[in-house]
Amino acid sequence: MKKLNILSLIALSAAMAACSSDDVATADGAQVEDNSPVFIKLTSGAKQTVTRASVESYGANNAFNAEGMGLYMLAADKTGLNVNALDVDWADNDYTFWWDNVNGKAEAVADPEGGDDYTEITTDVEGYKAYYPTGDWYKYSFYAYYPRQEENYISSDSRGVYIDIDGTQDIIWGKASSDDQFGYCARYFRQAAHMTEVPNISMSHKMTRIRFATIAGADGAGNYDGALRMGIRTIKVVQVPTRGYLTVANLTDPTQEGVLTFDWSEDADKADLAIKDSTDAEFTGFADHRVAMEERYVGQPILLPVPAADYVYKVYIELE
């Protein structure tokens, strides 16, 4: 009986060793390296179809800078390499939420080969968490948002944050994922076809940007004198909800990912948001914002939630 137990243990040990080895041939015949640690690298570009706002992008790659981003590395599924791997659970299975709202930044960097600048994303993560898990039991998706919030709302299948706005606050969100069985995990990047690949988190803006401008108009007699004596004292967008919930990730319903929701009901907390001068300075009023014959921008753009279908923004303008 003891002999049978020893043989069973030896057989089991051999099976586990075979399962943990990554030295296998890929479909194109290239060899996969054996369990080498794979450092996590990320890049990003803002989608060209969105309105550019206070987080400005430029160039063909939409390079941008953003200090203080929240970053997630969450398991999207099991790879199938280990039939005994626990189910994906973003609340209880630590291996399925490898990064959980870690602090990071986006930085526009020059292409060493002379191409357009691109965006590199780095984090404060150190030690083993800076590398993909070597077991390759799960494939991961990456999520990023800005500005990062300390309070992180979690469940077994979702992540989200509340963000307060004041008319100057941009909110951006993005995701990088792969349909490949091993995208993204260490095994994926050990393959010859993917060794130089870097997951790209495509960011998009979640707020709408409005900019005001003035130009003199003639009175009934065709004169412009009255208009040219005017100036703008203040402009406010009234009754704006100032706290939104951003669904960063949703395992069971990906259509909800990146959705920013506000409470538009009558009883919800709202505020009147005044426009600012450049670099978020207080609006200086008449002296610097007189009406002229040519079109002139008034202050800097104001960033607002995209209104609900049945909600209409109202604007208060005070003249001098």
Side-chain angles (χ1 to χ4, degrees):
M1 190 68 179
K2 291 181 180 178
K3 184 176 182 180
L4 288 174
N5 282 340
I6 292 171
L7 289 174
S8 297
L9 288 171
I10 292 173
L12 178 60
S13 176
M16 290 177 67
C19 288
S20 65
S21 175
D22 285 334
D23 190 12
V24 296
T26 61
D28 61 2
Q31 292 295 309
V32 177
E33 295 181 11
D34 183 25
N35 286 332
S36 56
V38 178
F39 186 75
I40 301 167
K41 296 180 181 179
L42 294 172
T43 186
S44 178
K47 292 182 180 177
Q48 299 201 32
T49 56
V50 300
T51 302
R52 288 165 56 181
S54 59
V55 176
E56 297 285 352
S57 57
Y58 67 91
N61 294 326
N62 289 298
F64 69 98
N65 295 282
E67 187 85 30
M69 299 179 73
L71 293 167
Y72 298 80
M73 178 177 166
L74 304 173
D77 204 351
K78 293 185 282 189
T79 62
L81 289 181
N82 181 358
V83 296
N84 295 316
L86 297 175
D87 289 338
V88 174
D89 186 323
W90 293 349
D92 291 328
N93 184 351
D94 291 354
Y95 276 89
T96 64
F97 49 100
W98 197 243
W99 291 356
D100 204 0
N101 199 31
V102 301
N103 185 57
K105 69 176 180 178
E107 184 176 10
V109 296
D111 184 345
E113 297 181 2
D116 287 297
D117 291 359
Y118 64 96
T119 304
E120 190 175 78
I121 293 179
T122 56
T123 76
D124 294 341
V125 176
E126 296 178 341
Y128 72 97
K129 286 279 188 175
Y131 296 82
Y132 286 91
T134 57
D136 299 327
W137 294 358
Y138 303 97
K139 55 176 287 184
Y140 295 88
S141 294
F142 293 94
Y143 299 86
Y145 75 96
Y146 169 90
R148 181 179 179 272
Q149 306 296 299
E150 286 293 336
E151 203 163 4
N152 180 31
Y153 290 84
I154 70 173
S155 73
S156 61
D157 63 356
S158 68
R159 289 293 188 274
V161 292
Y162 281 99
I163 302 177
D164 295 321
I165 64 164
D166 60 3
T168 67
Q169 183 60 67
D170 197 3
I171 298 174
I172 60 175
W173 170 91
K175 176 182 179 180
S177 61
S178 172
D179 293 331
D180 190 276
Q181 177 186 356
F182 301 110
Y184 297 107
C185 70
R187 186 185 185 95
Y188 179 85
F189 295 102
R190 293 190 195 108
Q191 299 177 40
H194 302 297
M195 282 182 177
T196 60
E197 185 177 331
V198 179
N200 184 291
I201 302 178
S202 185
M203 307 295 294
S204 60
H205 295 273
K206 297 301 171 181
M207 304 288 280
T208 188
R209 181 172 74 164
I210 297 175
R211 190 162 201 183
F212 296 92
T214 62
I215 188 169
D219 60 20
N223 296 318
Y224 291 87
D225 293 347
L228 294 174
R229 288 194 294 269
M230 293 182 180
I232 304 295
R233 174 176 287 179
T234 186
I235 298 177
K236 295 179 181 179
V237 182
V238 301
Q239 292 295 287
V240 180
T242 56
R243 186 170 174 81
Y245 184 79
L246 176 65
T247 301
V248 179
N250 192 304
L251 180 65
T252 55
D253 187 4
T255 63
Q256 295 301 307
E257 294 179 338
V259 174
L260 179 62
T261 56
F262 289 85
D263 186 351
W264 299 92
S265 66
E266 278 190 32
D267 298 332
D269 290 336
K270 299 184 181 72
D272 298 344
L273 301 183
I275 64 170
K276 304 283 188 179
D277 271 329
S278 59
T279 64
D280 297 340
E282 290 302 315
F283 195 73
T284 54
F286 176 78
D288 295 317
H289 299 289
R290 298 179 66 107
V291 176
M293 292 300 293
E294 71 278 2
E295 182 178 277
R296 289 183 176 178
Y297 286 125
V298 181
Q300 69 179 16
I302 188 168
L303 293 157
L304 301 170
V306 178
D310 58 348
Y311 195 86
V312 177
Y313 280 130
K314 296 178 181 178
V315 178
Y316 169 82
I317 301 176
E318 187 175 340
L319 302 174
E320 276 189 39

